[in-house]
């Protein structure tokens, strides 16, 4: 019997949907995050609870029975901003369990091509943001960075900066999805934050530091060698609103 499947929106929750398809023999007519309104009225709705053991079992099966590359594709494509990703991923995993590591050669299947495309887009955006995140020192001593990515790359950014800034407390704030990765120097959590409810007080001297960086950036540039087309390819325009060198410096706080 076909059912509308909903889950909590997490990767672990999606793996539990896959588990239910195989072990509870459900047939999803649609797969949506809980609270979405795009459900079919011709089928019943079932919410799938997230279970860590079931999720781990599915993830390990993807790695062992399909491939590590397929596991990477699933992880990345899941975080893409695309309405059809859940159904495409389920079909990709089901095919993978049937043909093993050869799944990625089945490019005649639309869902395989879509998973590849989404995984590539997510990886590229996360990779670019590794270099284009701009942190500001706050009065509390933590460093704050805001991002507005097209895809949900916050988990990948968090994993990267835990390794790069492992002894420094920081916050990466995804303003599109109203959530933040918060690292205290020991552990990192991703939590929801209120929309427009984050106030950042900059440390003394932070404005001066930003002004020095902008001066360096502008001095280094050579007008005669500017290549605007190449710049847009290497640095998407929507990144620039969060980058120090492309936005006006905020006034220094009054003392």
């Amino acid at each position: 019997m076909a059912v509308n499947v909903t889950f909590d929106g997490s990767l672990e929750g999606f793996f539990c949907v896959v588990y239910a398809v195989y072990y509870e023999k459900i047939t999803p007519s649609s797969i949506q995050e809980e609270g979405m309104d795009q459900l079919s009225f011709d089928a019943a709705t079932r919410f799938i609870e997230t279970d860590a053991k079931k999720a781990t079992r599915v993830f390990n099966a993807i790695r062992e029975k399909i491939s590590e590359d397929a596991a990477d594709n699933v992880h990345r494509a899941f975080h893409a901003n695309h309405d059809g990703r859940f159904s495409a991923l389920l079909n990709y995993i089901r095919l993978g369990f049937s043909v093993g590591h050869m799944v990625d050669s089945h490019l005649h299947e639309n869902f395989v091509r879509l998973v590849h495309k989404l995984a590539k887009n997510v990886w590229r955006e996360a990779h670019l943001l590794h270099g284009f995140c701009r942190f500001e020192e706050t009065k509390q001593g933590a460093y704050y960075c805001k991002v507005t990515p097209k895809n949900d790359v916050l988990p990948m950014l968090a994993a990267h900066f835990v390794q790069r800034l492992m002894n420094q407390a920081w916050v990466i704030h995804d303003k599109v999805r109203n959530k933040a990765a918060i690292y205290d120097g020991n552990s990192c959590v991703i939590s929801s934050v209120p929309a427009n409810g984050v106030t950042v007080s900059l440390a003394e001297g932070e404005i001066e530091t930003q002004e020095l960086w902008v001066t360096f950036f502008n001095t280094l540039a050579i007008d005669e060698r500017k290549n605007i087309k190449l710049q847009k390819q290497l640095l998407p325009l929507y990144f620039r609103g969060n980058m120090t060198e492309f936005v006006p410096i905020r006034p220094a706080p009054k003392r």
Side-chain angles (χ1 to χ4, degrees):
M1 177 181 176
V3 294
N4 293 312
V5 172
T6 63
F7 68 108
D8 65 2
S10 68
L11 180 59
E12 292 77 12
F14 176 74
F15 285 151
C16 290
V17 173
V18 177
Y19 184 96
V21 168
Y22 274 89
Y23 291 97
E24 300 174 26
K25 307 303 180 183
I26 68 170
T27 303
S29 58
S30 66
I31 306 174
Q32 299 285 341
E33 291 184 46
E34 186 180 23
M36 302 297 287
D37 298 323
Q38 302 175 9
L39 301 177
S40 169
F41 291 105
D42 297 329
T45 299
R46 177 176 171 182
F47 177 74
I48 302 296
E49 296 279 354
T50 298
D51 183 301
K53 290 183 179 180
K54 292 179 181 179
T56 299
R57 184 171 176 177
V58 171
F59 180 62
N60 288 339
I62 294 171
R63 296 174 60 195
E64 296 166 6
K65 296 182 180 181
I66 307 178
S67 69
E68 292 286 352
D69 286 342
D72 286 342
N73 286 336
V74 170
H75 178 262
R76 291 167 181 165
F78 177 83
H79 293 286
N81 181 23
H82 190 283
D83 290 340
R85 67 191 186 280
F86 299 143
S87 294
L89 283 169
L90 177 59
N91 289 330
Y92 177 82
I93 292 169
R94 295 177 73 172
L95 177 63
F97 284 152
S98 175
V99 302
H101 70 278
M102 295 298 294
V103 64
D104 289 317
S105 67
H106 285 245
L107 298 177
H108 59 282
E109 298 286 2
N110 291 337
F111 58 83
V112 173
R113 295 199 304 274
L114 178 58
V115 168
H116 286 182
K117 177 182 177 180
L118 297 181
K120 181 179 179 180
N121 288 345
V122 170
W123 178 87
R124 181 176 184 273
E125 185 172 45
H127 180 71
L128 287 174
L129 279 172
H130 290 168
F132 295 136
C133 280
R134 296 292 181 259
F135 287 88
E136 301 174 307
E137 186 179 6
T138 68
K139 287 183 177 179
Q140 293 76 24
Y143 282 79
Y144 171 82
C145 169
K146 61 180 179 293
V147 293
T148 50
K150 293 182 178 179
N151 301 294
D152 184 13
V153 297
L154 189 59
M156 283 152 273
L157 293 181
H160 174 76
F161 284 106
V162 163
Q163 297 299 318
R164 291 295 302 273
L165 302 173
M166 62 177 62
N167 297 317
Q168 173 62 55
W170 48 258
V171 174
I172 302 176
H173 179 193
D174 183 341
K175 298 191 70 175
V176 176
R177 294 161 187 83
N178 297 318
K179 61 182 185 178
I182 304 167
Y183 181 67
D184 63 2
N186 294 299
S187 61
C188 182
V189 297
I190 295 179
S191 176
S192 60
V193 296
N196 301 318
V198 177
T199 301
V200 178
S201 299
L202 298 183
E204 185 176 352
E206 174 62 25
I207 296 298
E208 290 81 357
T209 299
Q210 293 184 20
E211 289 174 343
L212 287 172
W213 169 242
V214 172
T215 299
F216 171 78
F217 176 80
N218 292 330
T219 302
L220 197 64
I222 302 174
D223 289 339
E224 292 77 12
R225 300 188 64 179
K226 282 185 177 179
N227 186 333
I228 303 301
K229 182 178 179 180
L230 181 61
Q231 285 180 7
K232 291 179 179 179
Q233 291 176 357
L234 300 178
L235 174 58
L237 292 177
Y238 69 95
F239 283 5
R240 299 190 182 194
N242 301 315
M243 297 180 64
T244 308
E245 53 267 51
F246 292 106
V247 297
I249 299 297
R250 281 177 272 176
K254 296 181 180 180
R255 301 177 183 174

